Amino acid sequence: MEACVDKFNDVKDWTSVDSDTGSLGAKIDWNQGCAKLELTSTQIEQYNRDGFLGPIKVLSEEDCRKLLDDYQLLIDGEENELFYEYHKNQTGDNENVLFHALGHWRITRRFHDLVYQATITVPSSQLIEPGSSGKVPIRLWHDQLFAKPPHHGGNVAWHQDFSYWTRTYPMAHLTVHVALDEQTVENGCIHYIPGSHTWTRDGKPLPVTDFNFKDMELIKTILKEDELANFKPVPCQLKPGEAVFHHPLAVHGSFPNRSAKPRRAAVVNYIADGVRSSTDELLLENTDRIAKGEELKGKFYPKVFDPKWISA
C-alpha cells in the first residue's frame, strides 16, 4: 500500500495556496450556504453605532490550541524572510514587552487557514462597507500577532488602524481581533472608545502619535474638546476563540499585562475588493510592488470571500 502523502508538506510560502486547506475545524461547503454565519441586523446596527462588535465566536478552543503551538514557534524562532514585520519586543522596554509580527499567514498552514475562516470572512463581508445592502467580496490586507507575556507585558497605545494604512484607498477596511488566550482587564484586553470611528481630520484619520505603541496617553494631545469629553474606554473581554470586529477609524488600545497569564491575539485585516494603492512605494515588505492607482490583488492580497461562491 502506498503511503498517504500530504500535498501541503512541501509548501514553503503559503501565498501559493489560495484557499482554506482544512487545518482548523471543518472546511465550509459553500454549496450549503452560510446563513448560520451571518450577523443579524441588530448586530450590524450596533457595529455602525459603536464602531466595533464583539464578542463573536469564530474558533473552537481546540483550534486556538493549534494556533498557539504555531504562535510559540514564531515567538521562540528568528525573523523569517517571509514576514512583513517582526518585532521580538516593539517597545524596546524589557518591563513592557510587546511581541508584534505581520505576515505569518505565509509561514504556517494554520495561520494561513485562519485568514480564510468563513466564521470570520462572512461577517467581515457584511461590515466592511457600512451602508451596503449585503455581503461584498473581500481580500486579505495583512495579518498581525500581538503577544503580551505574563507580569511584564506591554500596552498598545490608543490609535486608529487607518492612520497607518493611508497608502491605500478608498477606506474600505476591517480589523478582526481574535483571542487565543482568555483576555481580561487584568491581562490587558483590548479597549474601545465607542463612537470614535467618526473622528477625523479634514476627512482623514487622526495622525499617528506613537509608531511603537508605547505611550497610552499621547493621543489625548491631538483630540478636540468634544472628543476628550467622550473618551470613555470600554473593555472587550474575550474567551479563547472569540473575536471583536472593528472599524478602521475606531480608536482602540490595550493596557499592560501584569497578571500571571499570557495574552496572545491573532489579528486579521481585510479590504473590500477594489481597494487600490495610493503610492508607488512597497505596501508591505517582502511583497511585490503595486503601482499607484492599481488594485490590491494577486497572491499577496488573495480573495478570501465572495458572495458568488454561495450556492443560490
Side-chain angles (χ1 to χ4, degrees):
M1 180 182 294
E2 292 184 5
C4 180
V5 178
D6 188 332
K7 66 179 180 179
F8 298 115
N9 281 345
D10 295 328
V11 174
K12 304 300 182 185
D13 180 350
W14 283 91
T15 60
S16 63
V17 181
D18 63 359
S19 62
D20 178 16
T21 71
S23 68
L24 299 175
K27 291 177 62 176
I28 189 169
D29 181 355
W30 294 114
N31 291 322
Q32 300 299 315
C34 63
K36 64 181 180 180
L37 304 178
E38 295 177 8
L39 299 172
T40 65
S41 59
T42 300
Q43 288 174 309
I44 294 172
E45 288 170 6
Q46 180 182 338
Y47 173 85
N48 290 335
R49 181 190 69 229
D50 296 337
F52 64 95
L53 177 68
I56 303 291
K57 185 72 171 179
V58 297
L59 292 175
S60 68
E61 290 198 21
E62 180 183 357
D63 286 341
C64 289
R65 287 191 290 270
K66 291 177 181 178
L67 287 165
L68 284 173
D69 287 342
D70 285 3
Y71 211 125
Q72 201 58 47
L73 291 174
L74 296 174
I75 291 177
D76 293 340
E78 299 299 325
E79 183 171 359
N80 185 301
E81 65 180 7
L82 300 181
F83 279 116
Y84 306 147
E85 290 185 34
Y86 184 85
H87 309 275
K88 284 277 192 180
N89 181 11
Q90 191 159 9
T91 71
D93 179 354
N94 290 334
E95 295 304 313
N96 291 283
V97 175
L98 179 69
F99 174 84
H100 182 210
L102 284 71
H104 45 286
W105 77 284
R106 301 177 61 180
I107 298 170
T108 85
R109 179 178 179 180
R110 291 163 178 163
F111 277 118
H112 165 273
D113 285 357
L114 179 65
V115 309
Y116 286 94
Q117 288 301 292
T119 52
I120 300 175
T121 61
V122 172
S124 295
S125 77
Q126 294 178 272
L127 299 175
I128 203 164
E129 290 187 349
S132 65
S133 58
K135 298 179 288 295
V136 301
I138 61 172
R139 293 182 178 272
L140 176 66
W141 169 216
H142 65 74
D143 57 353
Q144 293 172 280
L145 296 176
F146 286 99
K148 303 178 182 185
H151 305 299
H152 55 272
N155 55 254
V156 177
W158 299 108
H159 65 283
Q160 293 176 323
D161 287 341
F162 197 68
S163 298
Y164 299 87
W165 297 341
T166 53
R167 60 194 185 276
T168 59
Y169 76 95
M171 186 182 70
H173 301 58
L174 183 96
T175 296
V176 187
H177 176 105
V178 183
L180 300 181
D181 297 305
E182 183 177 14
Q183 292 192 15
T184 65
V185 171
E186 290 73 26
N187 73 356
C189 68
I190 194 167
H191 286 62
Y192 291 94
I193 309 299
S196 59
H197 60 304
T198 64
W199 297 358
T200 60
R201 295 295 182 268
D202 298 321
K204 298 178 181 179
L206 302 177
V208 175
T209 55
D210 189 344
F211 279 96
N212 289 318
F213 303 119
K214 291 192 293 185
D215 192 332
M216 285 297 290
E217 302 305 313
L218 198 56
I219 194 173
K220 293 182 179 178
T221 64
I222 63 166
L223 296 183
K224 299 175 181 178
E225 186 175 342
D226 63 320
E227 293 167 345
L228 285 169
N230 288 293
F231 200 92
K232 299 174 182 179
V234 173
C236 186
Q237 301 188 86
L238 301 170
K239 297 184 184 303
E242 290 183 339
V244 56
F245 296 69
H246 71 245
H247 189 280
L249 295 181
V251 173
H252 61 287
S254 59
F255 294 93
N257 178 12
R258 297 295 182 256
S259 77
K261 298 181 179 180
R263 201 226 74 170
R264 292 163 291 186
V267 175
V268 188
N269 304 297
Y270 294 116
I271 52 175
D273 193 26
V275 166
R276 298 172 182 270
S277 171
S278 61
T279 178
D280 286 321
E281 300 296 321
L282 203 61
L283 294 176
L284 297 167
E285 292 297 323
N286 303 318
T287 64
D288 293 338
R289 195 177 308 278
I290 295 181
K292 184 176 181 179
E294 293 297 312
E295 291 185 14
L296 276 63
K297 56 185 178 180
K299 68 177 185 178
F300 295 113
Y301 310 100
K303 186 176 290 185
V304 295
F305 175 75
D306 192 324
K308 294 179 181 178
W309 297 347
I310 303 171
S311 177

